[in-house]
Each structure stands twice: as structure tokens, then as C-alpha cells.
Amino acid sequence: MTRSLTGRLTGRLGKWLVLVVWLVLAAIGGSFAGQLTDVEENDTVEWLPGNAESTAAFKEQGTFASTEAVPAVIVYVRDGGVTEADMAKAAADAEAFRTFENLDGEVLGPIPSEDGEAIQLIVPVDIEDDWELAPDLLDEVRERVTSDAGDLQVEIAGPLAMVADQAESFGDLDSSLLLAAVSVVIVILLLTYRSPILWILPLICAGVAVTCAQGVVYLLARYADLTVNAQSASILAVLVLAASIDYALLLVARYREELRRHEDRHEAMDFALHRAGPAVMASAGTVVLGMLCLIVAEMNSTAGMGPVLAVGVAVGMSAMLTLFPAVLVIFGRWVFWPKRPHFGSDEPTTRGLWAKMGNAIRPRPRMVWVTTTVILGAMTLGITQLNANGLSLEEGFTSEPDFAQAERVLAEHFDVGAGDPVTVIANADQIDAVSAALRDHPAIGSVTEPRVVDDRAYIEGTLTLQPYSDEAGDAIDEIRSSVHGIDGSDAVVGGSAAINVDMQEASARDNLVVIPLVLVVVLLILIALLRSLVAPLVLIGTVILSFGAALGVSGFVFENVFGFAGTDSSFPLFAFVFLVALGIDYNIFLMTRVREEAASVGTRRGALIGLAATGGVITSAGLVLAGTFSVFLTMPLVFLAEIGFVVAFGVLLDTLIVRAVLVTALNLDIGRFMWWPSRLAKVPDVDEAGPPPTERTLTGAPS
């Protein structure tokens, strides 16, 4: 970004042109943003590992049966044994469901249990590729089976009940999350600026950014095959809001400084943009490229999320580097009331908390960074309590879901895998051998008759185990080994249990591939930005240590405080990408300022000035990001609650400890060698035993 460009953006005419352009973009973006849900792709394939065997089985299954069918497993129970009237009731319900408008397949049953105390009915329901319909369809099924039931206990289990509970959990997720996030941001902005007016401007501009980002994502999904699902759409709004406010905080802080040095506010914004703009672009670029690294993930849901969030952050950055500066200049100094920064007034950061923090670290920086490193290292030990082997559907809710009781009743009288079978598709000439291999496995209760289309055949096996259990996963591995060993079968094994196995394996692979890739990308960005090799390597080391500590504390809290059974297998990857891509922003904000100051006063003095000048704004930015992600803790899904905690805690740890204490201490101890091999490594440090940072030392290095 050049001075001529920033001057045009914030000039007396340019500010109005920028405002008009963004108002037009907001109007257009708003019309498209409301249609974002229309292009969401929430069908099963969009969430599965792209190259997995279960995905191939799911795609081929459409030849034999509907892939949209979601079975409702109805269980009628009477202690002491069902009666003829109970059987007649179940038979009447089965007959009624055969004319059910949303029926998608054959109604199975009534099937009596071996103990004589229960009857089972399996009704395949079509939710029309819209999981939001599941709660209403479940209510229709429940109304039918409970009418005239008398004292007969009736429970509805199976996939339809599970999907309905998930849909209700996601119900108003987008609006609830955004409303909660906005509320948190308003409180933090009011506390930060202590102005009844100023907080409104960044919030409005961030809102424009969110709207435009959603509009752009809609257009890319509609016309450029960008994949959007409910998860990525929900996170998009929160991430763009948080990132945009972070960039606004940095710009306002620098603008406030320049207003004290320049009488003309247009000139002040010109200097502020010229100096803060590169840091904002580097920070946003880190997030964008970090998110794009997710494209290489095997999980379709993970790979699809990367581009969506990258687009959102890019739009947010554009708004906060053009629209927001223009709005600030249009409104003038009075928006800072009651503490307006007057020309020539004193710079308060020279005597603030962070200046005192730097001076406290200055006498013994090595002792400080060594002690901090040891403490953070000890916090990483909690990783041993982090169980990332995945969660069952019941364990995925923060409180017991409605379908859990029905599943327990089902398991007491029937094979628990009823309505959610293992599916096997093989060459028709080997289907007898495949059926025998499936039937012989001890975890399979029954096997259906083969369905044959052309030269391929399809069979189903009912698991006696909970499909999402570790035991079911072991059974799937054994079944696959058995049917794959039949020459000429070309068998593929699918179903929920197989999908769960493949998702665990894909997530483990993604952790090993994507995490190192993100680290390399971040390192290259830091090298290009800081023009050094030592500083980026040191910062990457602190990032890894901070991530490990956040993960360790999370592992301890999840098990001992929240009582969660574990984490989703993709949790480490999402935690890493969010923490590193977003958390590195604060190191970028700090180190770009340190580098700027070091050019004129030396590295050690530059480190103290950089901390004093950026400490307040970085802390506020960290609180905004932590606050917005903490709203996920209120969600009923364990995965979102865990992501909310680890990001909120990790960002606060990075902001208050790693950036303020550890990085500053390392800067002071390593000195000018931090900037090797750039020219700054040859600039001798001045005597840092002098007074704290002053207004003269905060004027910034020459451009």
C-alpha cells in the first residue's frame, strides 16, 4: 500500500466515493446474503472423506435404494409381554405409514422381539435433502404412533430421531451466534473506547463486511461451485465479525496516535493507513492462506470450509482498510468524545500498563522467557487427557438428547443397529460368498436378501453393536478384511459405522498433513513481512508452544470440568488453524511495530516501545476474538463448545502471556540478532537503561 493510494482513499473527495461504493456493495450483498441457505449443500457426501470406501459405497448405493431415506425405528414396549392388541396396533400403524407422503422405501414390520416384550417397526422417511424438515417429520410420525396407544410405551429411535435432535440444535444457530457475538463486541468496544459514539462505527462497518462476505460466498457457491454447508455458513459470520473488529481496533489506535501529530485528520489517516495497513494485510493474508490450506484435507466438510472462510476474511479486510477509514475521516475527531485526541497532546501509552510491563521485563529478560516457557510447557501435559478418538452421536451433545432414551430402549430388546445397517456392494457373481462372510461375523445379527442391478449386488447387515462405538469400528475393519479377501468381489463396505471409521482415519491424516502445511505458510509470510529468518522462527516456536498449552488446558477442562467424553477427531486441526491463523495476528501487530521503531532507536528500545504502543489495542483485539468465540460455549453441540473454549482460552493466553511477556522477553534477550540477516541486525542497540518510552520515541520510524 503506497502513500498515494492511502491519500486518495482518505482524501476530501475519495472518502465520499469510497462510502458510496460500499453502500452500493452492501445493498447488493444484502440481497444475496439472505439467499445463502439456498445454496448450502448439507447432503451426506459433502461431509464425508472424499476418497473413502464408505463414500464410494454411499454413491453406488443410489443404484439400489434411495440415499435420502432416513429410517425412523419405532419401538412398542410392554413389560411382561406385548398383547395381540399391541400387535394389531403396530400392524395398523405399519399399514398407515405405507401411504405416508414422505415414505421413501418399504415399511418393515411389525417385528416382535425375542423376549416377547417389544415390537419394532422401521419406516424409511425422505427428508428431501433438507435436515431442517426432520423435526416436523418426526412429530408427524410420533403423532401417528402415539394415538390410541393407551398405556403401551412407544419410543422413536434410529437416524430420523438423531437427525431431528441435531436439526433442532442447529435451528436458529446462525442468528443466535451472530446476536451473541455482536453483544459481546459491543460491550468490549464500549469498555475499550469509553465513548458512547465511537463503538458504533466499527460495528456498522463490520456488519457491512459480514453482509458482503455472505453475498460473495453465495455468488461463488451459485456460479463457481464453491461448497457451503451449515457449519461453514455459521462460522463465517462470527469469524468475519471478529476479524473485522480486530483490524478496526488496530487502525483506530494508530489513527489516534497520528491525530496527535497531525492537525489535518485526512493527513493523520493517510499516515495511519500507510503504517498500519501492511500489518492488517499481513494478518489477514495469514488467515486467508491458513484457511486455504484446508483445501488439501480429505474430509469434504473440512476442505469446503477453507475457501468459504478465506473469502470472508478477505472481504472483511477490504472493508476495514477502505470503508472504515473513510467513515472515520468523515465523522472527524468528535467521535472520540469525551477523550478526543487533540493535535500536540500527550501520548498516553508512554505511561500505561504495557510500558510498565516492558520495563519490568527489561532487567532480566532471559529469566522471564525461560520461566514462561517452562510454565507453558507444563500446561501442555494436559494433552494426555485429550481424547480425540471421536464422539458417538449421544456424546456429541452437551446434554442428553431426546433420542438417547429411545436408543436405550431399542438396545434392550433388539439389535441396536436396526435401521442403521452395514451396507455391502459387490459383484453379483460373488454375492453369495460376500453374504456368507457378512453373516458369519459375530457383530452381525441378520443379513438381507441381495438386490441385484446389472452386474452389482447390494446387501445389508444389522449390527448388534452401537454403530458409532469403538467395537463397531473394529467390526467394520474385520468385515472389510473378510469381503476384500474374496477374489473378484470388488466389494465396498458402507453405512454409518463404516463412515465413522473412515472419518476418524481421514481426520488423523488431515492432522498430519494440514498442520505442518499451515506452519510452513505462516513461516513464509513472517519471513516476507519481517525480512528476517530468526524472528519468524522464534515466533513460530512461541506459536507451537502456545497451541500446545491451550490444547493441554483444554484436555484437562473438557474431562474434569465439563465432563465431555472426548473430542471430535477433527478437533486438533480446527483448533490449530483457528489459533495459529488468528493468534499470529497479534505477533504480527507487535513485531511490525517493533521493527518500525527499531530502525531508529535500536531493537531493545524498539521492543519496549512496540509493546507500549500496541499493548492496549492487541489486548482489546484479543478480548474481542475470545469473546466472540466464547459464545460457542452456549451451543448444545460438544464440538462447537470445545472449539469455543480452546480458541477463547488460546487467544487470551497468546495475547496476555505469549505476546506481552514471552515475545517481549525474547526480543530484549536476543536483541538485534532477532532481525538477522536484515540490515536491522547490524544496527547497534542504544543504551536501554534510559527513561521509559516517550512521545518523541513513539513518532515512528521514517517511511
Side-chain angles (χ1 to χ4, degrees), residues 19 40 75 154 197 217 225 260 328 344 396 414 483 517 567 583 587 623-624 700:
L19 178 61
E40 288 182 7
V75 186
V154 183
I197 304 166
V217 168
D225 294 327
R260 293 188 170 94
L328 282 175
F414 298 95
V483 299
L517 180 60
T567 71
N587 279 326
L623 289 173
V624 166

Side-chain angles (χ1 to χ4, degrees), residues 72-78 85-86 88-94 96-97 121 123 136-157 406:
V73 181
I74 303 160
V75 186
Y76 306 84
V77 180
R78 185 180 296 278
D86 296 335
K89 157 69 175 167
D93 288 346
F97 280 125
L121 201 65
V123 182
D136 291 336
L137 290 174
L138 179 64
D139 289 340
E140 288 186 46
V141 172
R142 180 176 286 112
E143 183 178 356
R144 153 52 47 195
V145 298
T146 56
S147 64
D148 303 323
D151 58 352
L152 180 66
Q153 180 184 354
V154 183
E155 303 284 352
I156 303 177

Side-chain angles (χ1 to χ4, degrees), residues 382-449:
I383 292 178
T384 58
Q385 292 186 279
L386 191 70
N387 175 16
N389 294 323
L391 299 168
S392 69
L393 280 178
E394 293 180 34
E395 293 169 343
F397 290 81
T398 55
S399 58
E400 185 175 81
D402 292 340
F403 72 82
Q405 165 68 19
E407 290 291 317
R408 284 195 293 269
V409 172
L410 175 66
E412 290 174 5
H413 303 282
F414 298 95
D415 291 337
V416 71
D420 204 354
V422 176
T423 62
V424 184
I425 302 173
N427 288 337
D429 58 358
Q430 295 294 330
I431 195 60
D432 290 340
V434 171
S435 296
L438 183 61
R439 187 178 294 106
D440 290 343
H441 194 280
I444 297 297
S446 61
V447 177
T448 63
E449 290 296 319

Side-chain angles (χ1 to χ4, degrees), residues 88 96 112 119 159 171 214 216 235 251 285 287 319 361 384 400 411 415 418 528 548 573 584 609 633 697:
I119 305 169
Q214 291 173 329
V216 171
I235 296 177
L251 184 62
V287 179
I361 297 171
T384 58
E400 185 175 81
D415 291 337
L573 174 59
I584 200 67
I609 296 169
L633 286 166
T697 62

Side-chain angles (χ1 to χ4, degrees), residues 194-430:
R194 300 174 189 176
S195 166
I197 304 166
L198 181 57
W199 65 272
I200 300 174
L201 301 186
L203 191 62
I204 290 176
C205 293
V208 170
V210 170
T211 300
C212 290
Q214 291 173 329
V216 171
V217 168
Y218 165 82
L219 292 173
L220 292 175
R222 175 70 73 186
Y223 301 109
D225 294 327
L226 180 68
T227 300
V228 186
N229 58 39
Q231 181 175 265
S232 57
S234 298
I235 296 177
L236 172 67
V238 175
L239 179 63
V240 174
L241 174 69
S244 298
I245 294 296
D246 272 9
Y247 304 147
L249 286 166
L250 181 67
L251 184 62
V252 168
R254 197 59 190 257
Y255 178 48
R256 199 198 303 254
E257 283 186 41
E258 299 301 334
L259 283 173
R260 293 188 170 94
R261 300 176 190 136
H262 303 277
E263 190 168 5
D264 185 279
R265 67 181 188 275
H266 302 87
E267 186 179 7
M269 181 57 78
D270 184 7
F271 274 88
L273 260 182
H274 179 63
R275 287 172 173 162
V280 171
M281 287 190 289
S283 299
T286 303
V287 179
V288 168
L289 293 178
M291 295 301 172
L292 289 178
C293 289
L294 294 176
I295 292 175
V296 304
E298 282 192 355
M299 288 290 295
N300 285 342
S301 57
T302 302
M305 180 182 292
V308 172
L309 300 185
V311 168
V313 171
V315 173
M317 176 201 70
S318 301
M320 304 323 280
L321 286 181
T322 54
L323 172 62
F324 185 53
V327 170
L328 282 175
V329 173
I330 288 171
F331 278 85
R333 295 176 188 260
W334 70 269
V335 297
F336 290 91
W337 183 87
K339 293 186 177 181
R340 282 184 281 184
H342 298 287
F343 174 60
S345 60
D346 183 39
E347 175 56 56
T349 57
T350 61
R351 56 184 182 276
L353 170 65
W354 300 106
K356 296 175 182 177
M357 174 74 77
N359 287 322
I361 297 171
R362 181 176 60 175
R364 291 178 291 277
R366 185 167 302 175
M367 184 188 74
V368 171
W369 73 255
V370 169
T371 301
T372 306
T373 300
V374 170
I375 294 173
L376 292 174
M379 293 167 67
T380 65
L381 297 177
I383 292 178
T384 58
Q385 292 186 279
L386 191 70
N387 175 16
N389 294 323
L391 299 168
S392 69
L393 280 178
E394 293 180 34
E395 293 169 343
F397 290 81
T398 55
S399 58
E400 185 175 81
D402 292 340
F403 72 82
Q405 165 68 19
E407 290 291 317
R408 284 195 293 269
V409 172
L410 175 66
E412 290 174 5
H413 303 282
F414 298 95
D415 291 337
V416 71
D420 204 354
V422 176
T423 62
V424 184
I425 302 173
N427 288 337
D429 58 358
Q430 295 294 330

